[in-house]
Amino acid sequence: MTKWRLVLYPKVKIGNYIFLYLKRLLGCMKLESIQIDYELSFLTEDGKILKPNFVSNDTFQRGQAKGESQLKMPEEMFHSKCVPEGILTAYCTIWLDDALRSMYSEGLFCDTKLRTSTKTFSAHKNILSARSPIFKEMFRKDMKDKTTGCVGITDIDADTIHRMLLYLYTDTLEDLKWETASEMYVTADKYQIISLKRKCSTFLTVNLTVNNVSEVLILAIKHQDEDLKNAVQDYILRNDKAVFCSSEWKHLMDTHTKLAAETMFLKYYKS
């Protein structure tokens, strides 16, 4: 495991900057060097990332620190934005896309398997546990019961599992389309991968149409997603004539009468 530390020099007066560094600690994993993408900044009082932030791709040797001067505004403005009640919150995000992608694609040092009806995927318990509380609890139970460590998945197809694993290792979604976004949303909800569920929800919301909005409304209700439900209903209210006249909406009225009535009521309530 590679361990990192944020190093802050708040009183350096060179150009009236605060210096913030990311340091790779000695004694971590045997790799002499590791390449990462990373972002450094501070959080404002309302939790937003302070701009300008520092984003870079660098190679770190063991014990090496790299970073940037961060205070590029008047000191009194910086304190008003970022030091509420005397507390300064530094922010850092690290992406190990290439290294973790290689570990997944090459199957290096894997210690578990995910088995679908058509394909079996090798994976790492620590990666899956760090990204999903469901996998974490599953592997904890496996260790206690001394089971084989092979996870059987019968309700999700192999392509969706591959996409989910790629996201867990690299935090990226490749070639996302409507059908895959819907399937990934369901998978993310099942394994409580919150960031993936949010990204899929955003994709579905941005790509709503008269023909698919009923399907997404049902999806939101099924997975108790109030944010997605509200976004879908807002779209329906903005396009009510086209939606209410569609064959998909008529089918929704037959199969989910209460939901359709609730949504149509909003039109008259908000009017």
Side-chain angles (χ1 to χ4, degrees):
M1 176 182 295
T2 297
K3 295 183 178 181
W4 306 85
R5 176 177 295 160
L6 280 177
V7 182
L8 176 69
Y9 296 99
K11 296 183 179 180
V12 177
K13 293 300 182 183
I14 303 175
N16 197 30
Y17 291 164
I18 283 180
F19 284 82
L20 181 61
Y21 293 95
L22 177 64
K23 182 176 183 179
R24 184 185 176 203
L25 300 184
L26 291 168
C28 47
M29 61 189 293
K30 294 182 179 180
L31 293 175
E32 280 297 327
S33 63
I34 185 170
Q35 186 174 3
I36 64 168
D37 295 293
Y38 65 103
E39 176 183 12
L40 297 176
S41 188
F42 298 101
L43 297 184
T44 60
E45 186 175 4
D46 57 2
K48 295 181 180 179
I49 299 173
L50 180 69
K51 303 294 184 179
N53 54 329
F54 176 72
V55 180
S56 182
N57 176 280
D58 273 313
T59 298
F60 284 75
Q61 309 296 323
R62 284 185 290 177
Q64 188 174 24
K66 296 183 179 182
E68 179 75 340
S69 54
Q70 291 290 313
L71 180 51
K72 298 180 179 179
M73 62 177 65
E75 187 171 356
E76 62 274 10
M77 185 182 297
F78 179 82
H79 278 267
S80 67
K81 284 178 172 288
C82 298
V83 197
E85 301 179 357
I87 300 174
L88 175 63
T89 303
Y91 170 86
C92 176
T93 298
I94 299 174
W95 299 273
L96 293 167
D97 290 5
D98 292 340
L100 293 183
R101 185 188 291 268
S102 295
M103 288 182 66
Y104 169 58
S105 61
E106 297 174 21
L108 299 173
F109 315 117
C110 295
D111 55 3
T112 191
K113 295 180 183 296
L114 305 186
R115 179 176 296 145
T116 70
S117 58
T118 60
K119 190 172 182 178
T120 299
F121 299 87
S122 297
H124 303 81
K125 292 181 179 179
N126 57 345
I127 301 293
L128 271 58
S129 297
R131 304 298 304 273
S132 163
I134 301 300
F135 280 123
K136 182 178 182 180
E137 184 59 30
M138 192 182 299
F139 294 136
R140 179 181 291 150
K141 184 177 184 299
D142 282 352
M143 291 178 64
K144 184 177 180 180
D145 296 344
K146 297 182 179 180
T147 54
T148 61
C150 183
V151 180
I153 302 174
T154 59
D155 57 341
I156 304 173
D157 64 70
D159 181 65
T160 302
I161 291 299
H162 166 67
R163 289 174 179 274
M164 178 196 73
L165 287 171
L166 195 60
Y167 180 82
L168 294 181
Y169 279 81
T170 68
D171 211 41
T172 58
L173 285 171
E174 297 183 347
D175 192 28
L176 196 61
K177 293 184 173 68
W178 175 263
E179 185 176 348
T180 54
S182 179
E183 292 169 352
M184 289 289 285
Y185 175 91
V186 173
T187 302
D189 187 58
K190 176 180 178 178
Y191 293 106
Q192 295 182 19
I193 309 168
I194 304 303
S195 60
L196 176 58
K197 182 179 178 182
R198 188 182 303 116
K199 289 182 179 181
C200 292
S201 176
T202 299
F203 180 91
L204 294 172
T205 302
V206 170
N207 291 279
L208 287 173
T209 68
V210 170
N211 296 325
N212 65 32
V213 69
S214 298
E215 177 187 343
V216 183
L217 183 57
I218 294 172
L219 189 69
I221 293 298
K222 183 177 180 180
H223 294 276
Q224 301 178 341
D225 189 335
E226 286 297 318
D227 290 336
L228 181 58
K229 176 186 174 183
N230 292 336
V232 172
Q233 288 181 328
D234 285 344
Y235 175 90
I236 293 172
L237 297 183
R238 293 195 306 270
N239 302 274
D240 57 301
K241 290 183 179 180
V243 172
F244 294 159
C245 290
S246 68
S247 59
E248 290 81 7
W249 186 261
K250 292 175 182 177
H251 180 69
L252 179 74
M253 292 178 66
D254 291 336
T255 58
H256 297 77
T257 306
K258 184 177 179 180
L259 176 60
E262 173 196 328
T263 305
M264 296 178 80
F265 173 76
L266 290 174
K267 171 64 181 176
Y268 301 100
Y269 177 77
K270 290 189 176 183
S271 298

